[in-house]
Amino acid sequence: MRYFDDVRVGDRFTGGPVTVSAEDIIGFAGQFDPQPFHLDAEAAKATLFGGLAASGWHTAGLTMRMIVGSDAKLAGGYIGMGVDAVTWPKPTRPGDTLRIEGEVLEARLSAKRPTNGVARVRVVTLNQTDDIVQTLIANLLIPTRASLEALV
Amino acid sequence: MRYFDDVRVGDRFTGGPVTVSAEDIIGFAGQFDPQPFHLDAEAAKATLFGGLAASGWHTAGLTMRMIVGSDAKLAGGYIGMGVDAVTWPKPTRPGDTLRIEGEVLEARLSAKRPTNGVARVRVVTLNQTDDIVQTLIANLLIPTRASLEALV
C-alpha cells in the first residue's frame, strides 16, 4: 500500500482490461445519456458516430473502475478532488477491450488538509488497437503516513 | 430545436430533478467505482466522507442525464468534445434531489468541422439545499442550420 510519502513524479501505473458489450453501452446510456447514438445501433448509423458508441461518461466510469483495480495501490483509496481535463478522441465501441496507462505528473502537500497530499495524474484509456478513447487529468487526495499514524 | 446559429453567449438552461437512493449509489459504485465509501454506509463512516457518498462519476452521469433532458433542446444532441474541468465540492448523498443550471460561456465555429459550432458551457449541479455537488465546463459540438440543410 502506498502513502503520499511513497508517491513520486514520474511514477507509472496500469490497469484493466475491461471489455464492453453493446448491451453495456445501451444500458449505461439508458440511465445516464439517453441519446440515439448511444442507444440504438441502427439510429446511430445516421449520426456523427456512424454506429453505436459509448457515452464518454461510460468510458470515464470504466476508466475509474480500472484505476481502482490498478497496480497504483494507494492508501486511503482513489479520492478525486476534481478533474482538470477529459478528452474523448475516439468513442468506445461495442466489443472494445480497454486498458489504462497512468502517470504521476505532480505531487504536493494539500494546502487545505496538510495531512494529505495531492497527486496530479494523467490516465490514458486505450482500446485493443491502441487507439486512445480517453485522456484524463485528475487530482487525487492521498493520505500521508503520518496522518494514518495519528489515527492509531 | 436549436441549431448552433441560435446559440448565444449567456444563454441559460435548466434540467432535473433526479433523486438518488442509497441503492443507486451502491449499484453505480459496484460497476464503476468499487470503494468502501461508495459501497457500504457503515464502512464509509470511518472515511473522509463520514458516510455513504456517491462516486463523483455517478454525479457526472446524473448531470449528463439532466443535460439531455434539459430545456436547452440542441439539434443533433449533446455531443461532448471534451471537458475542461470538473469539481466535486460536496458529494451526492443518499436521498439527494439534484438539478442543473447551465450557461453558454463561448460559442465559435469548429475549426475541424466548419459545418458545426462548439459551445463552451458551464453546468452547475445542485442538491435540494442548493449545495453545489459538481461544476462542469464542457465543449459541445452543435450542428449549424446549413449543415442539416446540406443533408436533405
Short mmCIF file of all heavy atoms in Angstrom, two decimals, chain A residues 28 31-35 37 48-49 57-58 60-62 64-65 68 76-86 88 113 136 141, chain B residues 28 31-35 37 48-49 57-58 60-62 64-65 68 76-86 88 113 136 141:
data_model
loop_
_atom_site.label_atom_id
_atom_site.label_comp_id
_atom_site.label_asym_id
_atom_site.label_seq_id
_atom_site.Cartn_x
_atom_site.Cartn_y
_atom_site.Cartn_z
N PHE A 28 -25.94 1.63 -19.99
CA PHE A 28 -25.42 2.86 -19.38
C PHE A 28 -26.16 4.07 -19.95
O PHE A 28 -26.60 4.96 -19.22
CB PHE A 28 -23.92 3.00 -19.62
CG PHE A 28 -23.32 4.20 -18.93
CD1 PHE A 28 -22.70 4.06 -17.69
CD2 PHE A 28 -23.37 5.47 -19.49
CE1 PHE A 28 -22.15 5.17 -17.04
CE2 PHE A 28 -22.83 6.58 -18.85
CZ PHE A 28 -22.22 6.42 -17.62
N GLN A 31 -29.59 4.89 -18.66
CA GLN A 31 -29.60 5.51 -17.33
C GLN A 31 -29.05 6.94 -17.34
O GLN A 31 -29.54 7.79 -16.59
CB GLN A 31 -28.73 4.70 -16.36
CG GLN A 31 -29.42 3.54 -15.71
CD GLN A 31 -28.56 3.05 -14.55
OE1 GLN A 31 -28.54 3.64 -13.46
NE2 GLN A 31 -27.83 1.99 -14.78
N PHE A 32 -28.00 7.18 -18.14
CA PHE A 32 -27.24 8.42 -17.95
C PHE A 32 -27.05 9.29 -19.19
O PHE A 32 -26.62 10.43 -19.06
CB PHE A 32 -25.85 8.08 -17.38
CG PHE A 32 -25.90 7.42 -16.03
CD1 PHE A 32 -25.52 6.10 -15.87
CD2 PHE A 32 -26.37 8.11 -14.93
CE1 PHE A 32 -25.57 5.48 -14.63
CE2 PHE A 32 -26.44 7.50 -13.69
CZ PHE A 32 -26.04 6.19 -13.53
N ASP A 33 -27.31 8.75 -20.37
CA ASP A 33 -27.03 9.54 -21.58
C ASP A 33 -27.92 9.04 -22.72
O ASP A 33 -27.43 8.53 -23.73
CB ASP A 33 -25.54 9.41 -21.94
CG ASP A 33 -25.05 10.49 -22.89
OD1 ASP A 33 -25.90 11.19 -23.48
OD2 ASP A 33 -23.82 10.62 -23.05
N PRO A 34 -29.26 9.20 -22.53
CA PRO A 34 -30.20 8.58 -23.47
C PRO A 34 -30.32 9.34 -24.79
O PRO A 34 -31.24 10.11 -25.01
CB PRO A 34 -31.52 8.58 -22.69
CG PRO A 34 -31.39 9.73 -21.73
CD PRO A 34 -29.93 9.84 -21.39
N GLN A 35 -29.35 9.10 -25.68
CA GLN A 35 -29.35 9.72 -26.99
C GLN A 35 -29.20 8.61 -28.04
O GLN A 35 -28.58 7.58 -27.76
CB GLN A 35 -28.21 10.73 -27.12
CG GLN A 35 -28.24 11.80 -26.01
CD GLN A 35 -27.34 12.97 -26.34
OE1 GLN A 35 -27.73 13.86 -27.08
NE2 GLN A 35 -26.14 12.98 -25.80
N PHE A 37 -27.41 7.85 -30.63
CA PHE A 37 -26.10 7.26 -31.00
C PHE A 37 -25.51 6.40 -29.89
O PHE A 37 -24.53 5.68 -30.12
CB PHE A 37 -25.12 8.36 -31.45
CG PHE A 37 -25.30 9.67 -30.74
CD1 PHE A 37 -24.78 9.84 -29.47
CD2 PHE A 37 -25.99 10.73 -31.33
CE1 PHE A 37 -24.93 11.05 -28.80
CE2 PHE A 37 -26.17 11.94 -30.67
CZ PHE A 37 -25.64 12.10 -29.40
N LEU A 48 -23.13 11.49 -36.43
CA LEU A 48 -21.69 11.75 -36.47
C LEU A 48 -20.86 10.52 -36.13
O LEU A 48 -19.76 10.33 -36.65
CB LEU A 48 -21.41 12.85 -35.44
CG LEU A 48 -19.99 13.39 -35.32
CD1 LEU A 48 -19.66 14.28 -36.51
CD2 LEU A 48 -19.82 14.20 -34.04
N PHE A 49 -21.38 9.65 -35.25
CA PHE A 49 -20.62 8.50 -34.78
C PHE A 49 -20.60 7.36 -35.80
O PHE A 49 -19.74 6.49 -35.74
CB PHE A 49 -21.20 7.99 -33.45
CG PHE A 49 -20.99 8.95 -32.31
CD1 PHE A 49 -22.02 9.77 -31.85
CD2 PHE A 49 -19.75 9.03 -31.68
CE1 PHE A 49 -21.82 10.64 -30.80
CE2 PHE A 49 -19.55 9.90 -30.62
CZ PHE A 49 -20.58 10.71 -30.18
N TRP A 57 -19.10 9.41 -20.74
CA TRP A 57 -19.17 9.21 -19.29
C TRP A 57 -19.10 7.74 -18.94
O TRP A 57 -18.70 7.38 -17.82
CB TRP A 57 -20.43 9.88 -18.73
CG TRP A 57 -20.42 11.35 -19.00
CD1 TRP A 57 -21.17 12.02 -19.93
CD2 TRP A 57 -19.57 12.32 -18.39
NE1 TRP A 57 -20.83 13.36 -19.91
CE2 TRP A 57 -19.87 13.57 -18.98
CE3 TRP A 57 -18.58 12.27 -17.40
CZ2 TRP A 57 -19.22 14.76 -18.61
CZ3 TRP A 57 -17.95 13.44 -17.03
CH2 TRP A 57 -18.26 14.66 -17.64
N HIS A 58 -19.51 6.88 -19.88
CA HIS A 58 -19.35 5.44 -19.67
C HIS A 58 -17.86 5.08 -19.73
O HIS A 58 -17.34 4.36 -18.86
CB HIS A 58 -20.15 4.70 -20.76
CG HIS A 58 -20.30 3.23 -20.51
ND1 HIS A 58 -20.94 2.40 -21.41
CD2 HIS A 58 -19.88 2.42 -19.51
CE1 HIS A 58 -20.92 1.17 -20.94
NE2 HIS A 58 -20.28 1.15 -19.81
N ALA A 60 -15.51 7.06 -19.04
CA ALA A 60 -14.94 7.62 -17.80
C ALA A 60 -15.18 6.69 -16.62
O ALA A 60 -14.29 6.47 -15.78
CB ALA A 60 -15.54 9.00 -17.53
N GLY A 61 -16.40 6.12 -16.52
CA GLY A 61 -16.71 5.20 -15.43
C GLY A 61 -15.85 3.93 -15.50
O GLY A 61 -15.31 3.47 -14.49
N LEU A 62 -15.71 3.40 -16.71
CA LEU A 62 -14.87 2.20 -16.88
C LEU A 62 -13.42 2.50 -16.55
O LEU A 62 -12.71 1.67 -15.96
CB LEU A 62 -14.99 1.68 -18.32
CG LEU A 62 -16.37 1.12 -18.67
CD1 LEU A 62 -16.50 0.93 -20.18
CD2 LEU A 62 -16.65 -0.19 -17.94
N MET A 64 -12.45 4.72 -14.32
CA MET A 64 -12.38 4.77 -12.86
C MET A 64 -12.28 3.36 -12.30
O MET A 64 -11.49 3.11 -11.38
CB MET A 64 -13.60 5.50 -12.29
CG MET A 64 -13.50 5.74 -10.79
SD MET A 64 -12.14 6.88 -10.37
CE MET A 64 -11.80 6.42 -8.67
N ARG A 65 -13.09 2.44 -12.85
CA ARG A 65 -13.02 1.05 -12.37
C ARG A 65 -11.61 0.48 -12.55
O ARG A 65 -11.10 -0.23 -11.67
CB ARG A 65 -14.04 0.22 -13.16
CG ARG A 65 -14.01 -1.24 -12.87
CD ARG A 65 -15.30 -1.86 -13.39
NE ARG A 65 -15.08 -3.09 -14.11
CZ ARG A 65 -15.99 -3.65 -14.92
NH1 ARG A 65 -17.17 -3.07 -15.11
NH2 ARG A 65 -15.73 -4.77 -15.53
N VAL A 68 -9.25 2.01 -9.90
CA VAL A 68 -9.42 1.39 -8.58
C VAL A 68 -8.76 0.01 -8.55
O VAL A 68 -8.18 -0.39 -7.54
CB VAL A 68 -10.93 1.30 -8.22
CG1 VAL A 68 -11.14 0.49 -6.95
CG2 VAL A 68 -11.52 2.70 -8.05
N GLY A 76 -5.85 4.65 1.41
CA GLY A 76 -6.98 5.57 1.53
C GLY A 76 -7.92 5.55 0.35
O GLY A 76 -8.99 6.13 0.40
N GLY A 77 -7.49 4.91 -0.74
CA GLY A 77 -8.36 4.83 -1.91
C GLY A 77 -8.09 5.93 -2.90
O GLY A 77 -7.15 6.72 -2.75
N TYR A 78 -8.92 5.97 -3.91
CA TYR A 78 -8.75 6.91 -5.02
C TYR A 78 -9.85 7.96 -4.88
O TYR A 78 -10.98 7.76 -5.30
CB TYR A 78 -8.84 6.18 -6.35
CG TYR A 78 -7.76 5.13 -6.46
CD1 TYR A 78 -7.91 3.87 -5.87
CD2 TYR A 78 -6.57 5.41 -7.11
CE1 TYR A 78 -6.90 2.93 -5.94
CE2 TYR A 78 -5.55 4.48 -7.18
CZ TYR A 78 -5.73 3.24 -6.59
OH TYR A 78 -4.72 2.32 -6.66
N ILE A 79 -9.50 9.06 -4.21
CA ILE A 79 -10.47 10.12 -3.97
C ILE A 79 -10.11 11.29 -4.87
O ILE A 79 -9.06 11.91 -4.71
CB ILE A 79 -10.46 10.53 -2.48
CG1 ILE A 79 -10.82 9.31 -1.61
CG2 ILE A 79 -11.43 11.69 -2.24
CD1 ILE A 79 -10.85 9.60 -0.13
N GLY A 80 -10.98 11.56 -5.84
CA GLY A 80 -10.72 12.64 -6.79
C GLY A 80 -11.16 13.97 -6.21
O GLY A 80 -12.27 14.12 -5.73
N MET A 81 -10.24 14.94 -6.21
CA MET A 81 -10.59 16.30 -5.80
C MET A 81 -11.26 17.02 -6.96
O MET A 81 -11.95 18.01 -6.78
CB MET A 81 -9.34 17.09 -5.41
CG MET A 81 -8.50 16.42 -4.35
SD MET A 81 -9.46 16.18 -2.85
CE MET A 81 -9.68 17.89 -2.35
N GLY A 82 -10.99 16.54 -8.15
CA GLY A 82 -11.54 17.17 -9.34
C GLY A 82 -10.73 16.74 -10.54
O GLY A 82 -9.72 16.03 -10.40
N VAL A 83 -11.19 17.18 -11.68
CA VAL A 83 -10.60 16.79 -12.95
C VAL A 83 -10.21 18.06 -13.69
O VAL A 83 -10.99 19.01 -13.71
CB VAL A 83 -11.65 15.97 -13.75
CG1 VAL A 83 -11.26 15.83 -15.19
CG2 VAL A 83 -11.88 14.62 -13.08
N ASP A 84 -8.99 18.08 -14.22
CA ASP A 84 -8.56 19.25 -14.97
C ASP A 84 -8.91 19.18 -16.44
O ASP A 84 -9.06 20.21 -17.10
CB ASP A 84 -7.04 19.44 -14.85
CG ASP A 84 -6.65 19.94 -13.46
OD1 ASP A 84 -7.54 20.32 -12.69
OD2 ASP A 84 -5.45 19.93 -13.15
N ALA A 85 -9.05 17.96 -16.98
CA ALA A 85 -9.38 17.83 -18.39
C ALA A 85 -9.75 16.40 -18.71
O ALA A 85 -9.16 15.47 -18.17
CB ALA A 85 -8.19 18.26 -19.26
N VAL A 86 -10.74 16.25 -19.57
CA VAL A 86 -11.06 14.96 -20.15
C VAL A 86 -11.23 15.18 -21.64
O VAL A 86 -11.88 16.15 -22.06
CB VAL A 86 -12.39 14.37 -19.62
CG1 VAL A 86 -12.57 12.93 -20.11
CG2 VAL A 86 -12.48 14.42 -18.11
N TRP A 88 -12.15 12.86 -25.35
CA TRP A 88 -12.57 11.57 -25.91
C TRP A 88 -12.22 11.57 -27.40
O TRP A 88 -13.09 11.85 -28.25
CB TRP A 88 -14.08 11.40 -25.71
CG TRP A 88 -14.47 11.29 -24.26
CD1 TRP A 88 -14.16 10.27 -23.41
CD2 TRP A 88 -15.28 12.19 -23.49
NE1 TRP A 88 -14.70 10.50 -22.16
CE2 TRP A 88 -15.40 11.66 -22.18
CE3 TRP A 88 -15.92 13.41 -23.78
CZ2 TRP A 88 -16.12 12.30 -21.17
CZ3 TRP A 88 -16.62 14.04 -22.77
CH2 TRP A 88 -16.72 13.49 -21.49
N ARG A 113 -5.62 20.44 3.63
CA ARG A 113 -5.51 19.28 4.51
C ARG A 113 -4.06 18.82 4.54
O ARG A 113 -3.68 17.92 3.80
CB ARG A 113 -6.38 18.12 3.99
CG ARG A 113 -7.88 18.38 3.97
CD ARG A 113 -8.61 17.08 3.60
NE ARG A 113 -10.05 17.22 3.57
CZ ARG A 113 -10.76 17.63 2.53
NH1 ARG A 113 -10.13 17.93 1.40
NH2 ARG A 113 -12.07 17.72 2.60
N LEU A 136 -7.41 11.71 -19.40
CA LEU A 136 -7.96 12.28 -18.17
C LEU A 136 -6.80 12.85 -17.37
O LEU A 136 -5.77 12.19 -17.21
CB LEU A 136 -8.63 11.17 -17.37
CG LEU A 136 -8.98 11.43 -15.90
CD1 LEU A 136 -10.12 12.44 -15.81
CD2 LEU A 136 -9.39 10.13 -15.21
N LEU A 141 -6.50 12.85 -3.85
CA LEU A 141 -6.11 13.11 -2.46
C LEU A 141 -5.53 11.82 -1.87
O LEU A 141 -6.20 10.78 -1.90
CB LEU A 141 -7.35 13.54 -1.67
CG LEU A 141 -7.12 14.14 -0.29
CD1 LEU A 141 -6.55 15.56 -0.43
CD2 LEU A 141 -8.43 14.19 0.49
N PHE B 28 -24.10 1.89 -8.74
CA PHE B 28 -23.14 2.54 -9.63
C PHE B 28 -21.72 2.19 -9.19
O PHE B 28 -20.87 1.82 -10.01
CB PHE B 28 -23.33 4.06 -9.64
CG PHE B 28 -22.44 4.77 -10.62
CD1 PHE B 28 -22.88 5.09 -11.89
CD2 PHE B 28 -21.12 5.10 -10.29
CE1 PHE B 28 -22.05 5.72 -12.82
CE2 PHE B 28 -20.28 5.74 -11.20
CZ PHE B 28 -20.75 6.04 -12.46
N GLN B 31 -20.30 -1.14 -10.11
CA GLN B 31 -19.88 -1.27 -11.51
C GLN B 31 -18.65 -0.44 -11.85
O GLN B 31 -17.83 -0.87 -12.65
CB GLN B 31 -21.00 -0.79 -12.44
CG GLN B 31 -22.07 -1.81 -12.75
CD GLN B 31 -22.92 -1.32 -13.93
OE1 GLN B 31 -22.52 -1.39 -15.08
NE2 GLN B 31 -24.08 -0.79 -13.61
N PHE B 32 -18.55 0.77 -11.27
CA PHE B 32 -17.58 1.73 -11.79
C PHE B 32 -16.61 2.32 -10.77
O PHE B 32 -15.62 2.94 -11.16
CB PHE B 32 -18.31 2.88 -12.49
CG PHE B 32 -19.13 2.45 -13.67
CD1 PHE B 32 -20.51 2.52 -13.65
CD2 PHE B 32 -18.51 1.92 -14.79
CE1 PHE B 32 -21.26 2.10 -14.74
CE2 PHE B 32 -19.25 1.50 -15.89
CZ PHE B 32 -20.64 1.59 -15.86
N ASP B 33 -16.88 2.19 -9.50
CA ASP B 33 -16.01 2.85 -8.51
C ASP B 33 -16.12 2.10 -7.18
O ASP B 33 -16.58 2.64 -6.17
CB ASP B 33 -16.45 4.31 -8.36
CG ASP B 33 -15.39 5.18 -7.68
OD1 ASP B 33 -14.44 4.62 -7.09
OD2 ASP B 33 -15.53 6.42 -7.73
N PRO B 34 -15.67 0.82 -7.18
CA PRO B 34 -15.89 -0.05 -6.01
C PRO B 34 -14.95 0.26 -4.85
O PRO B 34 -13.96 -0.44 -4.64
CB PRO B 34 -15.67 -1.45 -6.59
CG PRO B 34 -14.73 -1.25 -7.73
CD PRO B 34 -15.05 0.11 -8.30
N GLN B 35 -15.28 1.29 -4.09
CA GLN B 35 -14.50 1.67 -2.92
C GLN B 35 -15.45 1.76 -1.72
O GLN B 35 -16.64 2.07 -1.89
CB GLN B 35 -13.80 3.01 -3.17
CG GLN B 35 -12.92 3.01 -4.43
CD GLN B 35 -11.95 4.18 -4.45
OE1 GLN B 35 -10.89 4.12 -3.86
NE2 GLN B 35 -12.33 5.26 -5.13
N PHE B 37 -16.25 3.80 0.69
CA PHE B 37 -17.08 4.98 0.95
C PHE B 37 -18.20 5.17 -0.07
O PHE B 37 -19.11 5.98 0.16
CB PHE B 37 -16.21 6.24 1.05
CG PHE B 37 -15.01 6.24 0.14
CD1 PHE B 37 -15.15 6.49 -1.20
CD2 PHE B 37 -13.73 5.94 0.63
CE1 PHE B 37 -14.06 6.49 -2.05
CE2 PHE B 37 -12.62 5.93 -0.21
CZ PHE B 37 -12.78 6.20 -1.56
N LEU B 48 -12.96 9.77 5.01
CA LEU B 48 -13.04 11.21 4.79
C LEU B 48 -14.47 11.68 4.56
O LEU B 48 -14.85 12.79 4.93
CB LEU B 48 -12.18 11.53 3.55
CG LEU B 48 -12.04 12.98 3.12
CD1 LEU B 48 -11.07 13.69 4.06
CD2 LEU B 48 -11.53 13.08 1.68
N PHE B 49 -15.31 10.82 3.95
CA PHE B 49 -16.67 11.21 3.60
C PHE B 49 -17.62 11.18 4.80
O PHE B 49 -18.68 11.80 4.76
CB PHE B 49 -17.21 10.31 2.48
CG PHE B 49 -16.51 10.50 1.16
CD1 PHE B 49 -15.56 9.60 0.70
CD2 PHE B 49 -16.82 11.60 0.36
CE1 PHE B 49 -14.92 9.78 -0.51
CE2 PHE B 49 -16.18 11.78 -0.86
CZ PHE B 49 -15.22 10.88 -1.29
N TRP B 57 -18.20 10.27 -10.43
CA TRP B 57 -18.58 9.89 -11.80
C TRP B 57 -20.07 9.56 -11.89
O TRP B 57 -20.66 9.66 -12.97
CB TRP B 57 -17.72 8.73 -12.28
CG TRP B 57 -16.28 9.10 -12.29
CD1 TRP B 57 -15.31 8.68 -11.43
CD2 TRP B 57 -15.62 10.01 -13.20
NE1 TRP B 57 -14.11 9.28 -11.74
CE2 TRP B 57 -14.27 10.08 -12.82
CE3 TRP B 57 -16.07 10.77 -14.29
CZ2 TRP B 57 -13.35 10.90 -13.50
CZ3 TRP B 57 -15.15 11.57 -14.97
CH2 TRP B 57 -13.81 11.63 -14.57
N HIS B 58 -20.65 9.17 -10.76
CA HIS B 58 -22.10 8.97 -10.71
C HIS B 58 -22.81 10.33 -10.81
O HIS B 58 -23.75 10.51 -11.60
CB HIS B 58 -22.45 8.24 -9.41
CG HIS B 58 -23.86 7.73 -9.34
ND1 HIS B 58 -24.36 7.10 -8.24
CD2 HIS B 58 -24.89 7.78 -10.24
CE1 HIS B 58 -25.63 6.78 -8.46
NE2 HIS B 58 -25.98 7.18 -9.66
N ALA B 60 -21.58 12.87 -12.19
CA ALA B 60 -21.36 13.31 -13.57
C ALA B 60 -22.36 12.66 -14.52
O ALA B 60 -22.91 13.32 -15.42
CB ALA B 60 -19.93 12.99 -14.00
N GLY B 61 -22.63 11.37 -14.33
CA GLY B 61 -23.60 10.67 -15.18
C GLY B 61 -25.01 11.23 -15.00
O GLY B 61 -25.73 11.46 -15.98
N LEU B 62 -25.38 11.48 -13.76
CA LEU B 62 -26.71 12.05 -13.49
C LEU B 62 -26.82 13.45 -14.08
O LEU B 62 -27.87 13.84 -14.61
CB LEU B 62 -26.97 12.09 -11.98
CG LEU B 62 -27.12 10.70 -11.32
CD1 LEU B 62 -27.04 10.83 -9.81
CD2 LEU B 62 -28.42 10.04 -11.75
N MET B 64 -25.25 14.43 -16.78
CA MET B 64 -25.44 14.24 -18.23
C MET B 64 -26.90 13.93 -18.53
O MET B 64 -27.46 14.48 -19.49
CB MET B 64 -24.54 13.12 -18.73
CG MET B 64 -24.52 12.98 -20.25
SD MET B 64 -23.82 14.45 -21.05
CE MET B 64 -24.60 14.38 -22.68
N ARG B 65 -27.50 13.05 -17.72
CA ARG B 65 -28.93 12.74 -17.93
C ARG B 65 -29.79 13.99 -17.86
O ARG B 65 -30.72 14.18 -18.66
CB ARG B 65 -29.36 11.73 -16.86
CG ARG B 65 -30.80 11.39 -16.88
CD ARG B 65 -31.02 10.12 -16.06
NE ARG B 65 -32.14 10.22 -15.16
CZ ARG B 65 -32.36 9.35 -14.16
NH1 ARG B 65 -31.50 8.35 -13.94
NH2 ARG B 65 -33.41 9.47 -13.39
N VAL B 68 -29.27 16.10 -21.05
CA VAL B 68 -30.02 15.56 -22.19
C VAL B 68 -31.51 15.89 -22.07
O VAL B 68 -32.18 16.17 -23.06
CB VAL B 68 -29.80 14.03 -22.31
CG1 VAL B 68 -30.71 13.41 -23.36
CG2 VAL B 68 -28.33 13.73 -22.65
N GLY B 76 -29.24 17.83 -33.02
CA GLY B 76 -28.10 16.92 -33.15
C GLY B 76 -27.70 16.25 -31.85
O GLY B 76 -26.89 15.35 -31.84
N GLY B 77 -28.28 16.71 -30.74
CA GLY B 77 -27.98 16.08 -29.45
C GLY B 77 -26.84 16.77 -28.73
O GLY B 77 -26.33 17.80 -29.18
N TYR B 78 -26.45 16.16 -27.64
CA TYR B 78 -25.42 16.73 -26.77
C TYR B 78 -24.17 15.89 -26.94
O TYR B 78 -24.02 14.85 -26.32
CB TYR B 78 -25.91 16.73 -25.32
CG TYR B 78 -27.15 17.56 -25.17
CD1 TYR B 78 -28.40 17.03 -25.48
CD2 TYR B 78 -27.06 18.90 -24.78
CE1 TYR B 78 -29.54 17.81 -25.37
CE2 TYR B 78 -28.20 19.68 -24.68
CZ TYR B 78 -29.45 19.12 -24.98
OH TYR B 78 -30.57 19.89 -24.90
N ILE B 79 -23.29 16.34 -27.84
CA ILE B 79 -22.08 15.60 -28.13
C ILE B 79 -20.91 16.36 -27.53
O ILE B 79 -20.59 17.47 -27.95
CB ILE B 79 -21.90 15.42 -29.66
CG1 ILE B 79 -23.10 14.65 -30.22
CG2 ILE B 79 -20.58 14.70 -29.96
CD1 ILE B 79 -23.04 14.41 -31.71
N GLY B 80 -20.30 15.76 -26.51
CA GLY B 80 -19.20 16.42 -25.83
C GLY B 80 -17.89 16.18 -26.57
O GLY B 80 -17.55 15.05 -26.89
N MET B 81 -17.18 17.27 -26.87
CA MET B 81 -15.85 17.14 -27.47
C MET B 81 -14.82 16.86 -26.38
O MET B 81 -13.74 16.36 -26.63
CB MET B 81 -15.46 18.45 -28.16
CG MET B 81 -16.44 18.91 -29.20
SD MET B 81 -16.65 17.65 -30.47
CE MET B 81 -15.02 17.70 -31.23
N GLY B 82 -15.18 17.24 -25.17
CA GLY B 82 -14.27 17.07 -24.05
C GLY B 82 -14.71 17.98 -22.93
O GLY B 82 -15.66 18.76 -23.08
N VAL B 83 -14.00 17.85 -21.83
CA VAL B 83 -14.34 18.56 -20.61
C VAL B 83 -13.11 19.35 -20.19
O VAL B 83 -11.99 18.83 -20.22
CB VAL B 83 -14.74 17.52 -19.53
CG1 VAL B 83 -14.75 18.14 -18.16
CG2 VAL B 83 -16.09 16.89 -19.89
N ASP B 84 -13.30 20.63 -19.85
CA ASP B 84 -12.16 21.44 -19.41
C ASP B 84 -11.94 21.33 -17.91
O ASP B 84 -10.83 21.52 -17.45
CB ASP B 84 -12.38 22.90 -19.78
CG ASP B 84 -12.20 23.14 -21.27
OD1 ASP B 84 -11.71 22.23 -21.96
OD2 ASP B 84 -12.57 24.23 -21.75
N ALA B 85 -12.99 21.07 -17.15
CA ALA B 85 -12.83 20.97 -15.70
C ALA B 85 -14.07 20.37 -15.07
O ALA B 85 -15.19 20.64 -15.50
CB ALA B 85 -12.56 22.35 -15.11
N VAL B 86 -13.85 19.54 -14.07
CA VAL B 86 -14.93 19.06 -13.21
C VAL B 86 -14.45 19.22 -11.77
O VAL B 86 -13.31 18.88 -11.46
CB VAL B 86 -15.25 17.56 -13.42
CG1 VAL B 86 -16.51 17.16 -12.65
CG2 VAL B 86 -15.39 17.20 -14.89
N TRP B 88 -15.92 18.54 -7.61
CA TRP B 88 -16.97 17.96 -6.77
C TRP B 88 -16.83 18.57 -5.37
O TRP B 88 -16.25 17.95 -4.47
CB TRP B 88 -16.82 16.43 -6.72
CG TRP B 88 -17.03 15.75 -8.04
CD1 TRP B 88 -18.20 15.68 -8.74
CD2 TRP B 88 -16.07 15.04 -8.83
NE1 TRP B 88 -18.02 14.98 -9.92
CE2 TRP B 88 -16.72 14.57 -10.00
CE3 TRP B 88 -14.71 14.74 -8.68
CZ2 TRP B 88 -16.08 13.83 -10.99
CZ3 TRP B 88 -14.07 14.01 -9.67
CH2 TRP B 88 -14.74 13.56 -10.80
N ARG B 113 -14.47 21.04 -38.10
CA ARG B 113 -15.74 20.72 -38.75
C ARG B 113 -16.54 22.01 -38.91
O ARG B 113 -17.40 22.32 -38.10
CB ARG B 113 -16.56 19.74 -37.89
CG ARG B 113 -15.95 18.37 -37.71
CD ARG B 113 -16.95 17.49 -36.98
NE ARG B 113 -16.47 16.14 -36.79
CZ ARG B 113 -15.75 15.73 -35.74
NH1 ARG B 113 -15.42 16.60 -34.81
NH2 ARG B 113 -15.36 14.48 -35.65
N LEU B 136 -19.05 21.72 -13.87
CA LEU B 136 -18.54 21.10 -15.10
C LEU B 136 -18.40 22.17 -16.16
O LEU B 136 -19.30 23.00 -16.33
CB LEU B 136 -19.57 20.06 -15.58
CG LEU B 136 -19.44 19.50 -16.99
CD1 LEU B 136 -18.21 18.60 -17.11
CD2 LEU B 136 -20.70 18.71 -17.37
N LEU B 141 -20.45 19.95 -29.33
CA LEU B 141 -20.50 20.12 -30.79
C LEU B 141 -21.96 20.28 -31.21
O LEU B 141 -22.79 19.43 -30.90
CB LEU B 141 -19.89 18.88 -31.45
CG LEU B 141 -19.58 18.97 -32.93
CD1 LEU B 141 -18.34 19.85 -33.15
CD2 LEU B 141 -19.33 17.58 -33.51
#
